[in-house]
Amino acid sequence: MEILWFLIAMALLVGILVPFVNRRRPGLQQVDPRSPDAANPDDYGFLRQEELDIRLPGPDQDLLDVLDVVQQTRNWQAASQLLAGTPAEGEVRWQRVQAFAGAASLELAQKPGVGGAWLRTWRAEAPKDAGGAQVHAEFLVQQAWRSSSVGEDDFRIILEEARGVCEEAALLAPGDPVPYIVELAVARGLGYPHDRFDQVWAKVIDRAPEHMGAHLAALHYWCEKWHGSREEADHFATTAAARAPQGSLLAALPLFAVHEHIPDLVLVQGFYQSAVVTKAVEGALYAVHSARPGDPMLAHVRHLLIGFLVRSERWAEAMNQLIWVDGHVGALPWTLSDDPAAEYTVYRNLAVAGYEANGGSPATLRR
């Protein structure tokens, strides 16, 4: 009986993968990478897999320089100065807080007991530093998910501590939305009731009504797998998109809602060509094309678009996004993989192969 089920599973797997790779595209064939007919991403100036930076979705050289200093010298002052000079209401501050917290959390995982000691020193030597308190709160949130399972006592204890640090950080910088954005993740983990979550959310949007990172954090709470439903998440995303001013990337939020509710195994052959997916993709493309120059969340949207465009076999449009983000892969959907660089590279190779199978070449790709 086990053999029978195995054969059925294999047949289903083949039926899913083959149409994806070569559906309605007789010119697109899987070939050996060494073949002269194989598409070569190097021809487009893309970085090799081992050169891809998995820490960030896009470039932030000031952050990377400071991270190097902090991790090499254990001198937290450089991180404090960078955050002090980063506007409170913008996306960049939130991203930098996440990056510093993530670096400390990863260090601790790699070197238990000693890793991330610079953050402990920062908090001990500068307890009134708002940036340090924010990084500490986000560090605890990341530690809860990294070291414990949802619902376990340790998980709740760490998040309760994170909530206390969020309150402290909010007092140190009353107009800064970051402490409340961190608390959105605490609310998700601890299962805040809807009315309590709404109170935290109100404090966020009072301070930064167009904050894309905050909306993504809130969207997680409203998803079916946490404390909402598919309908509630869709309503939250579409409402935010409808209210978004010209140039705001919030118009792309429905695509993130669709992504959050993709089943683990897509059995419907035309799922990525469905009206729901197509509408969300078009909204995200509109958001990207009309976004304010230099919007720090652009890379996040472009990365998610690449995943959907490749699965929809919209090769040229995928390539037009790839040329903007190649080099950094610290974003959805790649970060859901144990090897984000490898996952991204597979999609990039598919995009190149599909693009060339339909007459594209490096010469025809607009930059």
Side-chain angles (χ1 to χ4, degrees), residues 182-230:
V182 178
E183 192 176 354
L184 294 176
V186 174
R188 177 163 55 97
L190 293 181
Y192 281 20
H194 291 181
D195 58 345
R196 186 174 180 184
F197 180 87
D198 287 339
Q199 292 171 7
V200 179
W201 179 239
K203 293 176 181 178
V204 173
I205 59 174
D206 281 349
R207 292 161 174 79
E210 297 177 33
H211 201 292
M212 181 72 171
H215 279 80
L216 291 175
L219 178 64
H220 291 317
Y221 174 91
W222 290 113
C223 286
E224 189 173 59
K225 60 189 173 185
W226 287 103
H227 309 293
S229 65
R230 187 184 301 265

Side-chain angles (χ1 to χ4, degrees), residues 35 46 52 59 62 72 88 95 113 128 138 167 197 204-205 210 215 226 230 232 242-243 270 298 304 322 334 349:
S35 165
F46 294 146
L52 297 171
D62 288 343
Q72 290 174 13
Q95 292 182 10
K128 300 301 182 181
E138 174 64 16
E167 293 173 355
F197 180 87
V204 173
I205 59 174
E210 297 177 33
H215 279 80
W226 287 103
R230 187 184 301 265
E232 287 172 306
R243 294 175 178 172
L298 253 177
L304 191 62
L322 280 163
W334 328 122
N349 290 351

Side-chain angles (χ1 to χ4, degrees), residues 15-347:
I16 294 163
L17 292 180
V18 170
F20 167 65
V21 174
N22 197 22
R23 183 166 65 250
R24 301 186 307 276
R25 304 290 188 187
L28 177 57
Q29 302 291 335
Q30 288 182 310
V31 297
D32 189 296
R34 295 165 294 183
S35 165
D37 295 326
N40 185 5
D42 290 347
D43 294 341
Y44 296 85
F46 294 146
L47 294 184
R48 296 183 179 276
Q49 179 178 324
E50 61 271 17
E51 298 173 326
L52 297 171
D53 192 324
I54 65 173
R55 296 172 293 179
L56 300 172
D60 184 346
Q61 196 57 49
D62 288 343
L63 171 63
L64 295 179
D65 290 343
V66 169
L67 264 176
D68 287 342
V69 169
V70 169
Q71 293 183 313
Q72 290 174 13
T73 67
R74 308 301 171 191
N75 185 346
W76 56 266
Q77 284 89 345
S80 176
Q81 291 170 4
L82 182 64
L83 288 181
T86 306
E89 69 281 358
E91 306 281 355
V92 175
R93 183 179 181 87
W94 169 231
Q95 292 182 10
R96 288 175 172 176
V97 166
Q98 287 182 299
F100 285 128
S105 180
L106 184 59
E107 282 183 34
L108 184 59
Q110 294 171 340
K111 298 179 180 179
V114 296
W118 53 268
L119 178 54
R120 293 192 292 274
T121 304
W122 186 356
R123 293 291 286 139
E125 295 182 358
K128 300 301 182 181
D129 187 326
Q134 292 171 8
V135 173
H136 184 199
E138 174 64 16
F139 165 81
L140 290 169
V141 169
Q142 294 192 27
Q143 277 298 105
W145 262 274
R146 187 186 298 274
S147 61
S148 307
S149 297
V150 176
E152 290 186 352
D153 289 344
D154 287 350
F155 182 81
R156 297 191 64 85
I157 289 170
I158 296 173
L159 287 185
E160 291 285 1
E161 183 181 355
R163 178 165 57 191
V165 180
C166 286
E167 293 173 355
E168 180 183 350
L171 291 173
L172 292 171
D176 195 326
V178 170
Y180 299 106
I181 300 175
V182 178
E183 192 176 354
L184 294 176
V186 174
R188 177 163 55 97
L190 293 181
Y192 281 20
H194 291 181
D195 58 345
R196 186 174 180 184
F197 180 87
D198 287 339
Q199 292 171 7
V200 179
W201 179 239
K203 293 176 181 178
V204 173
I205 59 174
D206 281 349
R207 292 161 174 79
E210 297 177 33
H211 201 292
M212 181 72 171
H215 279 80
L216 291 175
L219 178 64
H220 291 317
Y221 174 91
W222 290 113
C223 286
E224 189 173 59
K225 60 189 173 185
W226 287 103
H227 309 293
S229 65
R230 187 184 301 265
E231 292 73 24
E232 287 172 306
D234 181 67
H235 175 74
F236 175 81
T238 55
T239 300
R243 294 175 178 172
Q246 179 69 23
S248 171
L249 284 170
L250 288 176
L253 201 61
L255 185 64
F256 287 86
V258 171
H259 178 263
E260 287 293 330
H261 293 94
I262 293 177
D264 292 335
L265 187 61
V266 177
L267 295 176
V268 179
Q269 182 171 324
F271 175 79
Y272 286 94
Q273 288 80 26
S274 67
V276 170
V277 172
T278 299
K279 182 179 179 181
V281 167
E282 293 301 330
L285 285 170
Y286 167 80
V288 166
H289 293 153
S290 61
R292 304 180 186 101
D295 191 314
M297 291 300 291
L298 253 177
H300 285 273
V301 180
R302 290 189 190 278
H303 278 292
L304 191 62
L305 265 172
I306 290 166
F308 275 91
L309 290 169
V310 169
R311 298 300 295 267
S312 302
E313 299 183 11
R314 297 168 64 168
W315 313 115
E317 290 168 292
M319 293 293 289
N320 286 332
Q321 301 304 319
L322 280 163
I323 59 176
W324 288 100
V325 299
D326 191 73
H328 297 83
V329 296
L332 289 173
W334 328 122
T335 50
L336 295 177
S337 168
D338 292 334
D339 190 341
E343 184 79 359
Y344 167 83
T345 302
V346 167
Y347 276 73

